[in-house]
Amino acid sequence: MTKDMIYLKDFPPFVRFELEDHFRGKIFSEFVKRVSEAEVALYPETFWRSTEEEFDRSRYELIFGTLRGRILKTLEKGPLKAKELLERNPDISPYSIYHALLKLEKHELIHRKDAEWEITREYFDHLRVPDLAKIIDLRHPGERRKNALARKDLEMATYLWPRYEHACDRTGIPSQSPSYGRWYQNHFALARAVKEWNKGATNIPHWALIAIADLADVDIEEREVISSYSLPPGIKITPYYKGRYKLPIEVTSDFDIIALQLLMKRSENGLVYPLKRKKEIVKRLYHTFGSFQSERIPLSIREIIETYYQIPRYRKNSIRIPTRMKERWEKLPAHEQTIIKIMVLEQLFNLDQRKRTYELISRSKDFLEDLSGILKELGIGDMTFRKRKDRPHYRSYLPKTVREKLKELKESVEKFKIEKGIDFLLETERIELIRAVKRYWGEKGVNIIANLTLENGVRDLDLARASGVTPQEVRRILYELADRAIITGIREKSLELVEYYYYLNPEGIKRFLGEERKEKLEKKEEFKYPFPEEFTLYQRKKLFSGVG
């Protein structure tokens, strides 16, 4: 089954990215080239007619200058010889007209046919970005020079401006709101920002990166082109953890649990509480998003989760399990659906902690009803909840019988998962393998085997997360399983690190089971009484006891 991923194009629009230098140069180089040929989604004839009225000059003169513009305007009515052009423009010298004709011919705007000059194509059928940028520049004389901007900077800003306004509409903020990192006063302010992005002096916002990559036809999912990202003025996230690049973001059960924990415990400043859960939550964030230096959950992570799950900005008394999360669960195989629902209940009720009672407090009655619905779907009972006196909260309890059934269901599902992974064995062999692994390596070994397959290799760190065992203990058990040939590993080396991916080994498992049977047989023979077969059972017992 294809994994759910959050690609860069799916990020919130105002998250800012620090690009790797070579990639930044590549993407802006292509963008500058192509923006000159890009077009604007405006009705050309209406635009040019109003612009001509505004400046009291023809569109040809506005775009090509007075001299060439007058020549093109004269040729607009039909082909003319050079002599006829001179007659119709007596105030222009023959020398100037001659050079203007050569330049226009060089740019393929006119051509000569039978000693007559005529316009090659209707230039104003479409509205081009460079032309619109030129009109904007004319409307604000001196503004571009005051800001030390090249015409190309303004052209890039002109192309990006509608995308900027769309990003503002998408997030529900006015385009002229002074929100930090999300406000440009006009095209010239945006042009200054584009200039800084091009140099790498400031990080580029997501909405602009997507627009630039689309026009430049450059793949932004190219491996390891993002150095860091953040939502200003929030904390930067480096998309690496344990040497692995964490973009695009993989949507796993960990991601679901992080989202639910944030829904339950989120605060405006991103603090993680209670403190005893902080280490666990931060570790999940590192594994999913990458590393960051903060005691708070970065604002960009909260925005990414809210955007992905389409969580509205509502109050705590109206939170629900996101619809998109439920839809994702429905796509999973039945046993995986059960596992993720069990994990959600375990995390929210902190079932890994030894307590007398397990309770959950929330302002949202609907959220608690969603959890109650999960228990009913699992077929293990229900939970009760009631409103606290003089408080806006509801308190729910997980009954002891439900907790016990939840534990039994988890063991049953894990057993099914193991058996499904080793379905190449006979039923008796599967039972034999599970018992042998449990005898040598305990429940930890069983959990590790449960998360291995024949087809897809799994890293030791991923096994540690999935089985709830420390990385050191996982590695020790993996080495011993590999020594018995129950599993096999593949070594992958890159410039940054060396990693091992582990698989089940069918031949080794069958050999291991054969050795187990042989060892049991030998032990059984060792315990036979050393007496002749003709002795009766009574005689053997009497002799062995030393009586008589």
Side-chain angles (χ1 to χ4, degrees):
M1 173 176 253
T2 308
K3 292 181 179 178
D4 286 348
M5 310 291 284
I6 301 178
Y7 294 95
L8 290 176
K9 60 182 172 60
D10 303 317
F11 272 49
F14 289 99
V15 171
R16 287 180 171 254
F17 295 93
E18 180 185 355
L19 304 179
E20 184 269 331
D21 287 342
H22 174 73
F23 180 76
R24 189 184 68 251
K26 174 183 175 183
I27 197 171
F28 271 96
S29 173
E30 285 298 317
F31 180 55
V32 169
K33 275 191 244 176
R34 300 193 185 199
V35 79
S36 298
E37 298 300 322
E39 295 176 355
V40 185
L42 294 174
Y43 186 60
E45 188 56 38
T46 304
F47 173 81
W48 287 118
R49 197 181 303 118
S50 63
T51 304
E52 286 174 326
E53 291 173 3
E54 177 186 348
F55 289 98
D56 194 23
R57 293 167 65 188
S58 73
R59 61 191 72 177
Y60 295 101
E61 291 179 77
L62 288 168
I63 298 304
F64 300 106
T66 303
L67 176 59
R68 284 180 287 172
R70 283 179 62 181
I71 292 173
L72 288 169
K73 180 68 175 174
T74 307
L75 292 174
E76 185 181 33
K77 296 177 182 178
L80 294 171
K81 294 181 180 179
K83 184 179 179 181
E84 293 171 319
L85 279 170
L86 281 168
E87 290 172 355
R88 297 194 184 190
N89 297 279
D91 55 328
I92 304 176
S93 69
Y95 180 81
S96 297
I97 287 183
Y98 171 74
H99 282 282
L101 288 171
L102 291 180
K103 285 183 180 179
L104 291 169
E105 185 182 29
K106 182 181 177 182
H107 289 94
E108 298 180 351
L109 293 166
I110 62 172
H111 72 282
R112 186 165 51 184
K113 183 179 180 182
D114 299 331
E116 290 185 329
W117 293 95
E118 65 179 0
I119 294 178
T120 304
R121 55 193 169 95
E122 184 47 61
Y123 182 86
F124 294 100
D125 279 350
H126 304 280
L127 181 56
R128 294 163 180 79
V129 167
D131 295 343
L132 180 56
K134 190 174 285 189
I135 298 303
I136 292 170
D137 195 14
L138 288 171
R139 284 176 176 156
H140 302 85
E143 190 73 22
R144 182 169 62 85
R145 291 186 179 277
K146 184 177 80 173
N147 288 281
L149 298 171
R151 181 65 62 78
K152 283 292 180 185
D153 297 328
L154 187 57
E155 287 176 14
M156 290 189 285
T158 302
Y159 176 80
L160 292 172
W161 187 263
R163 279 79 178 171
Y164 163 61
E165 291 184 315
H166 176 72
C168 291
D169 290 341
R170 177 180 156 192
T171 54
I173 63 169
S175 59
Q176 298 304 312
S177 167
S179 178
Y180 188 83
R182 311 184 188 195
W183 181 58
Y184 302 103
Q185 185 178 7
N186 52 35
H187 288 76
F188 299 94
L190 181 56
R192 286 199 307 273
V194 174
K195 186 177 180 179
E196 296 298 304
W197 302 338
N198 196 353
K199 293 190 299 184
T202 59
N203 295 341
I204 181 170
H206 170 268
W207 64 265
L209 179 61
I210 298 300
I212 291 170
D214 285 346
L215 184 64
D217 195 24
V218 175
D219 182 14
I220 58 171
E221 303 294 345
E222 190 177 329
R223 183 166 175 79
E224 301 184 22
V225 299
I226 306 297
S227 301
S228 69
Y229 63 90
S230 66
L231 190 65
I235 306 136
K236 280 189 177 182
I237 298 171
T238 305
Y240 290 90
Y241 186 63
K242 301 288 187 182
R244 290 180 69 84
Y245 189 61
K246 294 296 179 178
L247 289 174
I249 296 167
E250 186 177 346
V251 180
T252 61
S253 54
D254 270 1
F255 193 87
D256 293 334
I257 290 167
I258 289 167
L260 291 174
Q261 286 176 325
L262 291 183
L263 273 174
M264 287 293 298
K265 303 182 182 298
R266 68 178 175 178
S267 61
E268 292 302 320
N269 55 15
L271 284 171
V272 179
Y273 60 90
L275 291 176
K276 61 185 178 182
R277 310 299 295 182
K278 182 176 74 173
K279 185 176 180 181
E280 172 200 335
I281 292 175
V282 170
K283 190 174 181 182
R284 286 184 187 276
L285 292 172
Y286 286 167
H287 275 291
T288 304
F289 295 92
S291 57
F292 53 88
Q293 301 297 319
S294 174
E295 297 294 314
R296 303 171 187 270
I297 297 173
L299 184 58
S300 52
I301 288 179
R302 287 179 274 159
E303 287 268 352
I304 289 166
I305 288 172
E306 288 176 3
T307 301
Y308 177 76
Y309 285 118
Q310 300 166 1
I311 300 171
R313 298 181 183 279
Y314 44 40
R315 295 178 297 174
K316 288 187 177 181
N317 61 1
S318 58
I319 64 172
R320 301 292 300 261
I321 293 180
T323 304
R324 189 169 185 178
M325 188 181 292
K326 293 178 184 177
E327 290 172 352
R328 197 181 77 79
W329 292 350
E330 289 173 4
K331 296 177 186 175
L332 299 172
H335 70 282
E336 289 188 23
Q337 285 187 40
T338 304
I339 288 173
I340 181 59
K341 289 174 183 177
I342 291 171
M343 287 176 67
V344 165
L345 294 169
E346 285 180 335
Q347 291 296 324
L348 293 179
F349 281 96
N350 297 333
L351 294 182
D352 58 334
Q353 305 292 317
R354 297 183 67 84
K355 304 178 187 177
R356 290 179 60 190
T357 59
Y358 294 87
E359 64 177 2
L360 189 66
I361 298 173
S362 173
R363 293 189 182 189
S364 173
K365 186 179 179 181
D366 292 335
F367 183 74
L368 297 177
E369 286 178 348
D370 285 346
L371 294 179
S372 178
I374 289 176
L375 287 171
K376 290 175 183 175
E377 288 168 11
L378 295 174
I380 56 175
D382 201 354
M383 67 181 191
T384 58
F385 51 90
R386 62 176 181 269
K387 195 170 185 306
R388 299 176 70 182
K389 290 182 179 179
D390 304 322
R391 299 286 291 171
H393 305 93
Y394 290 86
R395 187 191 295 270
S396 63
Y397 294 93
L398 202 61
K400 185 177 179 181
T401 54
V402 174
R403 296 200 305 272
E404 289 172 353
K405 288 179 181 178
L406 191 66
K407 185 178 179 182
E408 291 171 5
L409 179 62
K410 184 179 180 183
E411 290 174 355
S412 173
V413 173
E414 286 179 343
K415 181 182 176 184
F416 170 77
K417 187 178 176 183
I418 296 170
E419 292 179 350
K420 188 173 182 295
I422 54 176
D423 56 4
F424 57 89
L425 297 174
L426 299 173
E427 179 67 27
T428 53
E429 291 176 325
R430 292 181 212 166
I431 296 169
E432 195 177 342
L433 176 63
I434 293 169
R435 286 176 178 171
V437 170
K438 192 169 184 178
R439 185 168 65 251
Y440 284 108
W441 297 284
E443 290 293 342
K444 293 177 181 178
V446 174
N447 286 340
I448 290 170
I449 290 290
N451 288 285
L452 290 171
T453 65
L454 294 173
E455 296 85 14
N456 300 316
V458 187
R459 295 186 315 130
D460 51 1
L461 287 174
D462 295 329
L463 284 170
R465 293 168 63 200
S467 59
V469 184
T470 64
Q472 294 82 358
E473 188 72 6
V474 164
R475 292 187 188 103
R476 181 187 68 77
I477 295 172
L478 286 172
Y479 294 150
E480 293 179 10
L481 290 170
D483 285 341
R484 298 293 189 101
I486 295 172
I487 65 171
T488 185
I490 292 179
R491 184 175 185 266
E492 285 193 5
K493 185 176 181 181
S494 65
L495 294 173
E496 296 82 13
L497 74 163
V498 176
E499 290 187 320
Y500 290 87
Y501 290 82
Y502 295 92
Y503 303 78
L504 291 174
N505 181 10
E507 294 78 12
I509 288 173
K510 292 192 174 183
R511 192 161 54 249
F512 170 73
L513 293 176
E515 291 170 357
E516 284 291 296
R517 294 189 198 105
K518 184 178 178 183
E519 188 177 338
K520 282 183 182 178
L521 187 62
E522 289 173 354
K523 284 183 178 179
K524 187 176 179 182
E525 288 177 354
E526 285 176 8
F527 284 102
K528 281 185 179 179
Y529 292 113
F531 308 119
E533 289 294 328
E534 59 269 16
F535 277 76
T536 64
L537 180 62
Y538 170 77
Q539 289 173 319
R540 292 177 188 177
K541 286 183 177 179
K542 188 175 179 182
L543 285 168
F544 184 74
S545 63
V547 179

